Short mmCIF file of all heavy atoms in Angstrom, two decimals:
data_model
loop_
_atom_site.label_atom_id
_atom_site.label_comp_id
_atom_site.label_asym_id
_atom_site.label_seq_id
_atom_site.Cartn_x
_atom_site.Cartn_y
_atom_site.Cartn_z
N SER A 3 76.12 103.20 67.83
CA SER A 3 76.00 104.06 69.00
C SER A 3 74.88 105.07 68.81
O SER A 3 74.49 105.39 67.70
CB SER A 3 77.32 104.80 69.25
OG SER A 3 77.57 105.67 68.17
N PHE A 4 74.36 105.55 69.94
CA PHE A 4 73.29 106.53 69.90
C PHE A 4 73.86 107.93 70.08
O PHE A 4 74.83 108.13 70.80
CB PHE A 4 72.28 106.25 71.03
CG PHE A 4 71.50 104.99 70.82
CD1 PHE A 4 71.81 103.84 71.51
CD2 PHE A 4 70.43 104.97 69.92
CE1 PHE A 4 71.09 102.69 71.32
CE2 PHE A 4 69.70 103.81 69.73
CZ PHE A 4 70.02 102.66 70.43
N SER A 5 73.21 108.89 69.46
CA SER A 5 73.64 110.27 69.62
C SER A 5 72.97 110.88 70.84
O SER A 5 72.12 110.25 71.49
CB SER A 5 73.28 111.08 68.37
OG SER A 5 71.88 111.21 68.27
N LEU A 6 73.34 112.09 71.16
CA LEU A 6 72.77 112.79 72.31
C LEU A 6 71.26 112.97 72.14
O LEU A 6 70.50 112.84 73.10
CB LEU A 6 73.46 114.15 72.48
CG LEU A 6 72.96 115.03 73.62
CD1 LEU A 6 73.17 114.32 74.95
CD2 LEU A 6 73.64 116.37 73.60
N MET A 7 70.81 113.22 70.92
CA MET A 7 69.39 113.41 70.66
C MET A 7 68.60 112.14 70.95
O MET A 7 67.50 112.20 71.52
CB MET A 7 69.18 113.84 69.20
CG MET A 7 67.81 114.33 68.94
SD MET A 7 67.50 115.74 70.01
CE MET A 7 66.52 116.71 68.96
N HIS A 8 69.15 111.00 70.61
CA HIS A 8 68.48 109.72 70.90
C HIS A 8 68.30 109.54 72.41
O HIS A 8 67.25 109.11 72.87
CB HIS A 8 69.27 108.54 70.32
CG HIS A 8 69.19 108.44 68.84
ND1 HIS A 8 70.23 108.81 68.04
CD2 HIS A 8 68.20 108.02 68.01
CE1 HIS A 8 69.90 108.62 66.79
NE2 HIS A 8 68.67 108.14 66.73
N TRP A 9 69.36 109.84 73.19
CA TRP A 9 69.28 109.68 74.64
C TRP A 9 68.28 110.65 75.26
O TRP A 9 67.59 110.30 76.22
CB TRP A 9 70.65 109.86 75.28
CG TRP A 9 71.54 108.67 75.04
CD1 TRP A 9 72.69 108.65 74.31
CD2 TRP A 9 71.34 107.33 75.50
NE1 TRP A 9 73.21 107.39 74.28
CE2 TRP A 9 72.41 106.55 75.01
CE3 TRP A 9 70.37 106.70 76.27
CZ2 TRP A 9 72.52 105.19 75.26
CZ3 TRP A 9 70.49 105.35 76.52
CH2 TRP A 9 71.55 104.61 76.03
N LEU A 10 68.19 111.86 74.73
CA LEU A 10 67.20 112.81 75.24
C LEU A 10 65.78 112.32 74.99
O LEU A 10 64.91 112.42 75.87
CB LEU A 10 67.40 114.19 74.59
CG LEU A 10 68.63 114.97 75.04
CD1 LEU A 10 68.77 116.25 74.23
CD2 LEU A 10 68.53 115.29 76.52
N VAL A 11 65.53 111.77 73.81
CA VAL A 11 64.20 111.24 73.50
C VAL A 11 63.87 110.07 74.42
O VAL A 11 62.76 109.98 74.96
CB VAL A 11 64.11 110.83 72.01
CG1 VAL A 11 62.82 110.07 71.72
CG2 VAL A 11 64.21 112.05 71.12
N VAL A 12 64.83 109.17 74.64
CA VAL A 12 64.61 108.03 75.53
C VAL A 12 64.34 108.52 76.95
O VAL A 12 63.45 108.01 77.64
CB VAL A 12 65.83 107.07 75.49
CG1 VAL A 12 65.75 106.03 76.59
CG2 VAL A 12 65.92 106.40 74.14
N GLY A 13 65.06 109.53 77.41
CA GLY A 13 64.85 110.08 78.74
C GLY A 13 63.48 110.71 78.90
O GLY A 13 62.81 110.51 79.91
N ILE A 14 63.05 111.45 77.91
CA ILE A 14 61.73 112.09 77.97
C ILE A 14 60.63 111.04 77.98
O ILE A 14 59.66 111.14 78.76
CB ILE A 14 61.56 113.08 76.79
CG1 ILE A 14 62.48 114.27 77.00
CG2 ILE A 14 60.11 113.53 76.65
CD1 ILE A 14 62.58 115.20 75.81
N ILE A 15 60.76 110.00 77.17
CA ILE A 15 59.76 108.93 77.15
C ILE A 15 59.74 108.21 78.50
O ILE A 15 58.66 107.89 79.02
CB ILE A 15 60.04 107.94 76.00
CG1 ILE A 15 59.77 108.64 74.66
CG2 ILE A 15 59.20 106.69 76.13
CD1 ILE A 15 60.18 107.84 73.45
N ALA A 16 60.90 107.98 79.09
CA ALA A 16 60.96 107.31 80.40
C ALA A 16 60.27 108.16 81.46
O ALA A 16 59.52 107.64 82.30
CB ALA A 16 62.41 107.04 80.79
N ILE A 17 60.48 109.46 81.43
CA ILE A 17 59.83 110.35 82.41
C ILE A 17 58.32 110.36 82.21
O ILE A 17 57.55 110.32 83.17
CB ILE A 17 60.42 111.78 82.31
CG1 ILE A 17 61.85 111.78 82.84
CG2 ILE A 17 59.57 112.78 83.08
CD1 ILE A 17 62.59 113.09 82.63
N LEU A 18 57.89 110.35 80.96
CA LEU A 18 56.45 110.34 80.69
C LEU A 18 55.80 109.03 81.14
O LEU A 18 54.70 109.02 81.69
CB LEU A 18 56.18 110.57 79.20
CG LEU A 18 56.47 111.98 78.69
CD1 LEU A 18 56.28 112.03 77.18
CD2 LEU A 18 55.57 112.99 79.38
N LEU A 19 56.48 107.91 80.91
CA LEU A 19 55.93 106.61 81.29
C LEU A 19 55.95 106.39 82.80
O LEU A 19 54.99 105.88 83.39
CB LEU A 19 56.69 105.47 80.61
CG LEU A 19 56.47 105.33 79.10
CD1 LEU A 19 57.37 104.23 78.55
CD2 LEU A 19 55.00 105.04 78.78
N LEU A 20 57.04 106.76 83.43
CA LEU A 20 57.18 106.51 84.86
C LEU A 20 56.58 107.63 85.70
O LEU A 20 56.30 107.42 86.89
CB LEU A 20 58.66 106.34 85.22
CG LEU A 20 59.36 105.15 84.57
CD1 LEU A 20 60.84 105.18 84.92
CD2 LEU A 20 58.74 103.85 84.99
N GLY A 21 56.42 108.77 85.14
CA GLY A 21 55.93 109.91 85.90
C GLY A 21 57.10 110.63 86.56
O GLY A 21 58.10 110.03 86.93
N GLY A 22 56.96 111.93 86.71
CA GLY A 22 58.04 112.74 87.27
C GLY A 22 58.37 112.38 88.70
O GLY A 22 59.53 112.36 89.10
N GLY A 23 57.37 112.08 89.52
CA GLY A 23 57.59 111.76 90.93
C GLY A 23 58.37 110.46 91.11
O GLY A 23 59.29 110.38 91.92
N ARG A 24 57.97 109.45 90.36
CA ARG A 24 58.67 108.16 90.47
C ARG A 24 60.13 108.29 90.04
O ARG A 24 61.02 107.72 90.64
CB ARG A 24 57.99 107.11 89.60
CG ARG A 24 56.75 106.55 90.17
CD ARG A 24 56.34 105.35 89.37
NE ARG A 24 54.92 105.09 89.51
CZ ARG A 24 54.25 104.27 88.73
NH1 ARG A 24 54.86 103.67 87.74
NH2 ARG A 24 52.98 104.06 88.94
N PHE A 25 60.32 109.02 88.95
CA PHE A 25 61.68 109.17 88.43
C PHE A 25 62.58 109.89 89.43
O PHE A 25 63.70 109.46 89.68
CB PHE A 25 61.64 109.93 87.10
CG PHE A 25 62.96 109.94 86.38
CD1 PHE A 25 63.43 108.80 85.76
CD2 PHE A 25 63.73 111.08 86.34
CE1 PHE A 25 64.63 108.79 85.10
CE2 PHE A 25 64.94 111.10 85.69
CZ PHE A 25 65.39 109.94 85.06
N SER A 26 62.07 110.95 90.04
CA SER A 26 62.89 111.68 91.02
C SER A 26 63.12 110.83 92.27
O SER A 26 64.19 110.90 92.88
CB SER A 26 62.25 113.01 91.39
OG SER A 26 61.02 112.79 92.04
N ASN A 27 62.13 110.02 92.67
CA ASN A 27 62.32 109.12 93.82
C ASN A 27 63.39 108.08 93.53
O ASN A 27 64.22 107.76 94.39
CB ASN A 27 61.01 108.42 94.18
CG ASN A 27 60.02 109.36 94.83
OD1 ASN A 27 60.39 110.42 95.32
ND2 ASN A 27 58.76 108.98 94.82
N MET A 28 63.38 107.55 92.31
CA MET A 28 64.39 106.56 91.94
C MET A 28 65.79 107.18 91.96
O MET A 28 66.75 106.58 92.44
CB MET A 28 64.11 105.98 90.56
CG MET A 28 62.99 104.97 90.53
SD MET A 28 62.88 104.06 89.00
CE MET A 28 62.72 105.33 87.79
N MET A 29 65.90 108.40 91.44
CA MET A 29 67.20 109.06 91.42
C MET A 29 67.66 109.39 92.84
O MET A 29 68.85 109.32 93.14
CB MET A 29 67.16 110.33 90.56
CG MET A 29 66.88 110.05 89.08
SD MET A 29 67.85 108.72 88.36
CE MET A 29 69.46 109.40 88.43
N GLY A 30 66.72 109.72 93.72
CA GLY A 30 67.08 109.96 95.13
C GLY A 30 67.59 108.70 95.79
O GLY A 30 68.54 108.73 96.57
N ASP A 31 66.96 107.56 95.48
CA ASP A 31 67.41 106.28 96.03
C ASP A 31 68.80 105.93 95.51
O ASP A 31 69.64 105.39 96.25
CB ASP A 31 66.43 105.17 95.67
CG ASP A 31 65.10 105.31 96.40
OD1 ASP A 31 65.07 106.05 97.41
OD2 ASP A 31 64.11 104.70 95.95
N VAL A 32 69.05 106.22 94.24
CA VAL A 32 70.38 105.96 93.67
C VAL A 32 71.43 106.83 94.39
O VAL A 32 72.51 106.35 94.73
CB VAL A 32 70.39 106.23 92.15
CG1 VAL A 32 71.80 106.22 91.59
CG2 VAL A 32 69.54 105.20 91.44
#
Side-chain angles (χ1 to χ4, degrees):
S3 65
F4 291 103
S5 68
L6 178 62
M7 192 60 144
H8 287 105
W9 286 114
L10 288 175
V11 170
V12 169
I14 291 171
I15 291 173
I17 290 173
L18 290 175
L19 289 176
L20 298 175
R24 283 191 203 167
F25 189 73
S26 65
N27 288 341
M28 284 192 304
M29 296 313 294
D31 291 342
V32 169

